[in-house]
Structure formats: structure tokens, C-alpha cells
Amino acid sequence: MYWLSQFMAGRRGVDPLTFGLLIVGFIFSQLSYHTGFLLFTILFYLVMLYCLFRVFSRNLPRREAENQAFLRLIHPFQNMIMRFVRRRRERQFHRFFKCPHCKEHLRVPRGKGKISITCPRCGTQFIKTT
């Protein structure tokens, strides 16, 4: 195993962009298998080759810049998924509303009847039933 650590010294390894590319490659492989369409097979091999290139690349600043651009791209989707998971977990005890003025997401206790909600961000008050 020492030879592997020596070989990978100064190389990028697997980062979130590479992991995302592996998922895209898996999707292309499944599409290729189920449809038999040659384009999906070619795209699968291209994505896998690019993954290998990224893993073994020694140009660390360039790979880090690519990874940061990818993370900026997927950040809104991660927030949306995490908000959905949080709401599913807390829906038994809380209701979620959007402020009509600034669109801030607000959490209020469930079962309080008709209440006045004040947005902590913009101060707008609105009435909702919980």
C-alpha cells in the first residue's frame, strides 16, 4: 500500500466534482444499457475518462477551481434538498410559511390556531392558521 500512497502524492484524488461525474457516468451507462443508443455509451466513456484524468491530475489549482465552480453551481440545489429533508423531519410539530414580502422561509409551531407571524428579516406581519 506504500506504493499507492507514493503514487497519489501530489494528486487530486476524488472530490465532489469527480463524485458527481461518476453519478452522471452511471446514469449514462444505464441509459446505454436500456436504450442501446451508442451516444450514451460514448458519453459514459468520456465522462469516465475525465474522472480518471481529474483523479490523477497534478494540476491542483486548476482542479480546485473546477471543483469550486461545481460547488457554486450545485449549492442552491443542496439547499433546496436540505430544506425539504428538514421540513419532512419537523412537519409533525411545525408549519412552514414564506414571508409574502421577502420570501424568507419561516417555521412556526403547529396547532396554535390563527396567529400573527412576524418575519424576523423584514418585519412584515401576516396572519396564518397553524
Side-chain angles (χ1 to χ4, degrees), residues 46-82:
L46 289 175
V47 168
M48 290 300 112
L49 284 173
Y50 188 61
C51 283
L52 287 174
F53 168 74
R54 284 189 50 77
V55 167
F56 296 123
S57 174
R58 288 186 183 245
N59 189 353
L60 297 180
R62 178 68 184 215
R63 301 293 85 80
E64 182 62 28
E66 292 170 353
N67 189 45
Q68 289 302 317
F70 172 73
L71 291 175
R72 279 192 302 276
L73 180 73
I74 67 166
H75 184 72
F77 300 107
Q78 281 182 322
N79 284 344
M80 188 172 52
I81 291 169
M82 292 307 294

Side-chain angles (χ1 to χ4, degrees), residues 7 27 36 43 52 71 92 101 118:
F7 177 73
I27 291 169
L43 288 173
L52 287 174
L71 291 175
Q92 183 178 0
H101 184 259
T118 304

Side-chain angles (χ1 to χ4, degrees), residues 26-41:
F26 176 75
I27 291 169
F28 282 144
S29 72
Q30 291 303 305
L31 288 172
S32 172
Y33 177 75
H34 291 293
T35 64
F37 197 46
L38 182 62
L39 178 64
F40 292 132
T41 306

Side-chain angles (χ1 to χ4, degrees), residues 99-129:
C99 173
H101 184 259
C102 68
K103 307 299 185 218
E104 177 77 13
H105 294 273
L106 306 171
R107 182 183 76 162
V108 295
R110 189 178 279 276
K112 299 292 184 185
K114 192 178 268 191
I115 61 172
S116 174
I117 303 168
T118 304
C119 176
R121 185 180 194 186
C122 67
T124 302
Q125 290 188 344
F126 55 98
I127 297 175
K128 291 287 185 177
T129 303

